[in-house]
Amino acid sequence: MAARVVGRAGRLALVVRSSAVRLQSRLHGSTGLRSGSQANFFPPLEDAMLPSGSFNNRMALITGGGTGLGRAMTATLSQLGAQCIIASRKLDVLQRTAEEISSQTGNKVHAVQCDVRDPQAVSQCVDQIEALTGLPDVIINNAAGNFVCPSERLSPNAWKTITDIVLNGTAFVTLELGKRLIQNQKGASFLAITTIYAESGSGFVVPSASAKAGVEALYKSLAAEWGRYGHRFNIIQPGPIRTKGAFSRLDPTGAFEKAMIDRIPTGRLGTPAEIANLAAYVSSNYASWMSGAVIRFDGGEYVSLAGEFNELRSVTPDQWKLLEAMIRKTKGS
Ligand SMILES: CC/C=C\C/C=C\C/C=C\C/C=C\C=C\C(=O)SCCNC(=O)CCNC(=O)[C@H](O)C(C)(C)COP(=O)(O)OP(=O)(O)OC[C@H]1O[C@@H](n2cnc3c(N)ncnc32)[C@H](O)[C@@H]1OP(=O)(O)O
Ligand SMILES: NC(=O)C1=CN([C@@H]2O[C@H](COP(=O)(O)OP(=O)(O)OC[C@H]3O[C@@H](n4cnc5c(N)ncnc54)[C@H](OP(=O)(O)O)[C@@H]3O)[C@@H](O)[C@H]2O)C=CC1
């Protein structure tokens, strides 16, 4: 009897596995995109969500605002009326972005060179900002460094480089601005961009995971401590959104993109404009009661990776009939 059950279960497992493979290749074809499925239910919207003028007379600092997601956040805030300052190491990149965005929106975007790893450079950058626009109302700590690497291959300097940019850089910018804002009795919205694996940890990006977890602890702690000075601290954890900076360092051959899209329940990557809308909302006065929040923004990837039984998505209705019959037959333990 036991042998018959094992034999039947084994055959069923084979059927389930081979039809899962057929299903996978039907879903993804050779493009690696799930066109014709969930992605059609959840298409991205690209236009600015908040009413025009939502950031009139407001100053916003975006670190790493010259490229990728930081650039998209700058474009949205500028379109909504903010005067923006973008800061990072590469002045030429910043200047090009600043000119492109302000010529589209008509609002000034300033470019300020700053290596966030260096507290003195951060202090000088804030001096420059004060002279240009006054202290900002909105601070987005978006600058980061990362690359995939087995941890046994990491040098001390590799560890230091990533944790300096991500954790120390965010702390230097936040503390320098926070202290000056407190002195000037001016409140502000601070937003940190972390990642979904700040919560779970992740192999192969261990310095980034450790530093982003530190950033989350920093922001949650300051939300509690500095609310009394009129500061709000929030966190967005993005899932995968295609940028040159991230994808060239995390999936340099493109070999993992298909698997990544497969596990995202909404069937696609996020877009820079989508996260820019969320960042704008969190940084706006519409969110003035939001502080200490951690917002996961990942198309469902995190829960999809976490659930023990989520692989059962590949079981077909016919296979479920068989499985259910087997389960119902099982009486007692
Ligand atoms: C399965 C997953 C599949 C796909 C994933 C695809 C998409 C993304 C999905 C989710 C993303 C989630 C989170 C993303 C987080 C991010 O932060 S993405 C943003 C990435 N952007 C950047 O990193 C931009 C800035 N980066 C840089 O400037 C450099 O890359 C830097 C190395 C971080 C810093 O440059 P710097 O010039 O200061 O440093 P170096 O002197 O070049 O290097 C310092 C030490 O690090 C060692 N190093 C450098 N690169 C590597 C490497 N690839 N592997 C191992 N070690 C490296 C270098 O040798 C130095 O150490 P030393 O030799 O001991 O001195
Ligand atoms: N794209 C994605 O899928 C995801 C991204 N994220 C997060 O989103 C944020 C933006 O990433 P993304 O736009 O993809 O990648 P980018 O590489 O485009 O952005 C990183 C930015 O950080 C700046 N930067 C790096 N080092 C320093 C430094 N020492 N001082 C000042 N600025 C620095 C870079 O500018 P410069 O070189 O001029 O210094 C660059 O503009 C990051 O915090 C990242 O961790 C999180 C999850 C997913």
Side-chain angles (χ1 to χ4, degrees):
M1 172 67 182
R4 245 192 358 253
V5 171
V6 170
R8 194 170 168 192
R11 274 198 307 281
L12 179 66
L14 270 180
V15 173
V16 168
R17 220 173 299 133
S18 62
S19 64
V21 170
R22 276 201 305 280
L23 183 71
Q24 294 266 332
S25 61
R26 254 210 329 275
L27 284 174
H28 307 298
S30 56
T31 63
L33 289 173
R34 286 200 307 212
S35 57
S37 73
Q38 285 98 320
N40 287 347
F41 291 105
F42 307 106
L45 297 180
E46 300 293 306
D47 49 328
M49 175 184 80
L50 291 177
S52 121
S54 293
F55 283 87
N56 281 355
N57 304 315
R58 304 193 74 202
M59 318 297 167
L61 167 67
I62 303 98
T63 67
T67 63
L69 306 186
R71 180 192 163 112
M73 292 176 213
T74 306
T76 297
L77 292 174
S78 178
Q79 193 186 334
L80 293 170
Q83 200 178 148
C84 295
I85 307 114
I86 53 180
S88 73
R89 295 164 302 174
K90 297 183 190 126
L91 190 57
D92 55 331
V93 174
L94 293 170
Q95 282 169 338
R96 227 181 7 257
T97 297
E99 274 157 32
E100 281 169 14
I101 293 177
S102 56
S103 73
Q104 281 161 15
T105 64
N107 293 317
K108 185 76 192 157
V109 180
H110 306 271
V112 177
Q113 188 166 33
C114 179
D115 186 331
V116 295
R117 291 173 283 196
D118 175 357
Q120 252 187 318
V122 170
S123 174
Q124 282 161 9
C125 166
V126 177
D127 289 343
Q128 244 180 299
I129 293 170
E130 280 210 75
L132 281 167
T133 64
L135 289 169
D137 310 274
V138 170
I139 297 107
I140 303 186
N141 270 291
N142 161 80
N146 199 3
F147 46 74
V148 283
C149 181
S151 299
E152 64 274 21
R153 293 172 64 95
L154 287 171
S155 69
N157 192 37
W159 174 274
K160 186 167 165 13
T161 300
I162 301 303
T163 54
D164 267 353
I165 302 172
V166 175
L167 177 55
N168 290 337
T170 302
F172 296 151
V173 170
T174 302
L175 292 174
E176 187 65 43
L177 280 161
K179 289 176 196 169
R180 294 200 203 190
L181 285 159
I182 290 167
Q183 241 168 17
N184 284 270
Q185 298 186 12
K186 180 175 176 177
S189 159
F190 289 79
L191 172 63
I193 308 300
T194 63
T195 164
I196 55 171
Y197 61 69
E199 214 162 297
S200 58
S202 175
F204 303 97
V205 282
V206 173
S208 168
S210 309
K212 293 284 195 185
V215 168
E216 294 199 350
L218 172 72
Y219 265 45
K220 287 186 273 192
S221 307
L222 287 176
E225 187 180 336
W226 278 359
R228 61 192 163 154
Y229 299 124
H231 297 336
R232 300 189 292 117
F233 290 86
N234 293 295
I235 295 157
I236 296 177
Q237 302 173 324
I241 301 174
R242 178 185 295 290
T243 65
K244 189 173 168 215
F247 277 53
S248 63
R249 292 175 175 90
L250 302 175
D251 187 18
T253 66
F256 294 100
E257 181 165 335
K258 181 175 160 313
M260 212 163 44
I261 294 171
D262 285 355
R263 65 186 182 224
I264 298 177
T266 48
R268 62 173 176 84
L269 302 177
T271 69
E274 287 178 297
I275 193 171
N277 265 325
L278 177 59
Y281 166 68
V282 171
S283 305
S284 77
N285 289 340
Y286 291 96
S288 60
W289 204 50
M290 181 185 285
S291 194
V294 184
I295 303 165
R296 194 186 298 138
F297 192 60
D298 70 343
E301 187 186 25
Y302 188 89
V303 291
S304 173
L305 284 167
E308 187 96 48
F309 289 93
N310 289 340
E311 287 307 313
L312 295 185
R313 279 183 298 236
S314 59
V315 177
T316 65
D318 282 345
Q319 291 163 353
W320 272 120
K321 276 185 205 156
L322 263 168
L323 284 174
E324 186 178 328
M326 286 178 78
I327 296 164
R328 283 181 183 278
K329 262 193 201 151
T330 312
K331 302 279 182 221
S333 50

